[in-house]
């Protein structure tokens, strides 16, 4: 089990092993190891990650010129198979935007309000040690201003995410137990007075979805988002440890540092992160989701405005702000994008979009050690001068 906090900053841990680099405009081109024109700055950023030591990175960009697929390195260290656009991977905290969309749709249907207290929605769940659900709203969960303790920072989860991971990779955790771990600690601050990323918030949000709808979190995401958008390669595994469909391997040093053993972490039970980070998807499906989300296809105007109302998120970096499941990131070249990273042992991802949803990009690394940063790939894509797409 990975217990590295799924903060955007941790997406910075993506790097890769020195292997043949390819731009996957077609599978044949990938097999030949050929490099073609199109998004050269982005491709170079992918290759730079590979040179630092992680097996492989994968990306897809969609803009006015079409779809571009790029990769570097390998999907499998044993076979040397290249990374392919159809490969599925654990998307981690990119899941949070899916959770927010479901709750905003429920608000549009009149089934809840963002300013409802957590005590009203989940009576007695957030209580004790200075925690009081009466003073925390659903909005504060979604924008990380609740002050609730990050349960992944608890010593138990730190251990089973690193040294004890092999023993616990198939363990099942109930959402209520994750929240109980969090409220065993005092809050970091009074609700609404500061910002701090906490997966506890989104586990509670998933519990709200189930309480209000009477259905499972997974079924609501599938019914409201996955199926309507035709995201056929996206799944919510629940307690299953498998990645369905075509996929490469995921690799982790389990936080061991230079020289540590590298583990194959492809199979794991993601119930430890549930509605805060369980989704399995592809670069294509996540680009479709981000395009639809920022393009206004999933929410009424009022809820879209709520989604994109951001609060300062200085803990994540200067110029960062957080909406409801999305970071608003100021670009060094001017302007801003909406994005979110995701980290699960052996899989680091980031999805990003222009404000209008017309330029989207998704990247994934299949290793989690080193000091490279997938944000460098994002900035290369959105800040590079004209990057022609090979058709």
């Amino acid at each position: 089990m990975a217990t590295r906090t799924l903060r955007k900053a941790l997406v910075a841990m993506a790097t890769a092993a020195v292997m043949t680099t390819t731009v996957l405009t077609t599978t044949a081109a990938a097999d030949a190891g050929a490099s073609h024109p199109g998004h050269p700055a982005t491709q170079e950023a992918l290759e730079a990650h590979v040179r630092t030591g992680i097996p492989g990175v994968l990306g897809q960009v969609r803009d006015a010129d079409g779809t571009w697929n790029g990769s570097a390195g390998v999907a499998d260290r044993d076979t040397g198979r290249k990374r392919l656009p159809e490969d599925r991977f654990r998307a981690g905290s990119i899941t949070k935007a899916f959770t927010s969309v479901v709750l905003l749709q429920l608000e549009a249907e009149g089934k809840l309000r963002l300013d409802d207290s957590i005590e009203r929605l989940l009576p007695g769940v957030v209580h004790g040690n200075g925690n009081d659900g009466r003073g925390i709203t659903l909005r504060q969960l979604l924008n990380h201003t609740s002050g609730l303790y990050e349960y992944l920072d608890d010593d138990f989860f730190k251990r089973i995410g690193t040294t004890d991971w092999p023993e616990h990779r198939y363990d099942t955790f109930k959402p209520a137990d994750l929240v109980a771990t969090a409220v065993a600690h005092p809050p970091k601050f009074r609700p609404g007075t500061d910002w701090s990323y906490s997966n506890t918030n989104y586990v509670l949000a998933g519990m709200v979805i189930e309480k209000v709808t009477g259905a499972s979190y997974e079924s609501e995401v599938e019914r409201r988002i996955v199926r309507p958008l035709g995201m056929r390669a996206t799944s919510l595994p629940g307690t299953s440890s498998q990645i369905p469909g075509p996929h490469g391997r995921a690799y982790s040093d389990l936080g061991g540092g230079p020289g540590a053993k590298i583990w194959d972490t492809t199979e794991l039970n993601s119930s430890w992160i549930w509605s805060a980070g369980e989704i399995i998807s592809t670069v294509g499906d996540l680009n479709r989701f981000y395009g639809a989300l920022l393009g206004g296809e999933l929410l009424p105007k009022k809820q879209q405005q709520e989604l994109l109302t951001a609060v300062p998120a200085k803990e994540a970096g200067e110029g960062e702000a957080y909406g409801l499941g999305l970071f608003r990131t100021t670009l060094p070249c001017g302007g801003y994008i909406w994005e979110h990273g995701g980290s699960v042992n052996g899989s680091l991802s980031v999805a990003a979009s222009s404000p209008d949803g017309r330029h989207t990009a998704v990247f994934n690394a299949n290793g989690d050690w080193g000091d490279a940063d997938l944000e460098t790939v994002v900035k290369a894509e959105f800040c590079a001068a004209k990057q022609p797409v090979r058709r």
Side-chain angles (χ1 to χ4, degrees), residues 197-209:
Y197 193 98
S198 175
N199 287 286
T200 306
N201 293 321
Y202 274 77
V203 172
L204 282 163
M207 293 172 68
V208 169
I209 289 171

Side-chain angles (χ1 to χ4, degrees), residues 19 23 26 39 82 97-98 128 154 253 291 316 321 354 370 375 381-382:
M19 303 297 295
V23 177
T26 66
H39 299 253
K82 308 302 180 186
F98 290 78
D154 181 82
D253 68 353
S354 60
E375 284 296 299
E381 172 57 34
F382 286 92

Side-chain angles (χ1 to χ4, degrees), residues 324-339:
L324 305 184
L326 296 169
F327 280 96
R328 188 182 67 206
T329 298
T330 301
L331 293 170
C333 53
Y336 67 91
I337 55 174
W338 292 98
E339 64 172 339

Side-chain angles (χ1 to χ4, degrees), residues 94-107 112 114 138-139 141-144 202 205-206 209 217 221 225 275 289 293 298-299 303 306-307 322-326 340:
I94 295 172
T95 301
K96 288 180 171 64
F98 290 78
T99 303
S100 283
V101 167
V102 173
L103 286 166
L104 287 165
Q105 289 182 353
L106 290 170
E107 183 190 52
L112 52 75
L114 288 181
L138 181 57
R139 186 192 308 275
L141 294 184
L142 298 181
N143 67 14
H144 294 299
Y202 274 77
I209 289 171
Y217 163 77
V221 172
I225 303 172
S275 54
F289 171 65
L293 180 59
L298 293 172
L299 296 170
Q303 279 69 37
E306 298 281 10
L307 174 81
Y322 200 87
L324 305 184
L326 296 169
H340 212 293

Side-chain angles (χ1 to χ4, degrees), residues 172-193:
T172 293
F173 293 87
K174 295 180 179 179
D177 293 335
L178 303 179
V179 174
T181 298
V183 299
H185 298 265
K188 294 187 68 173
F189 51 81
R190 186 164 52 85
T193 63

Side-chain angles (χ1 to χ4, degrees), residues 4 33 96 109 111 154 161 168 175 186 197 235 241 250 264 283 299 322 324 338 342 356:
R4 302 178 184 199
K96 288 180 171 64
E109 295 163 9
K111 296 177 180 176
D154 181 82
H168 293 281
Y197 193 98
S235 59
S241 63
D264 184 321
V283 289
L299 296 170
Y322 200 87
L324 305 184
W338 292 98
D356 61 5

Side-chain angles (χ1 to χ4, degrees), residues 338-351:
W338 292 98
E339 64 172 339
H340 212 293
S343 170
V344 178
N345 274 356
S347 180
L348 299 173
S349 308
V350 62

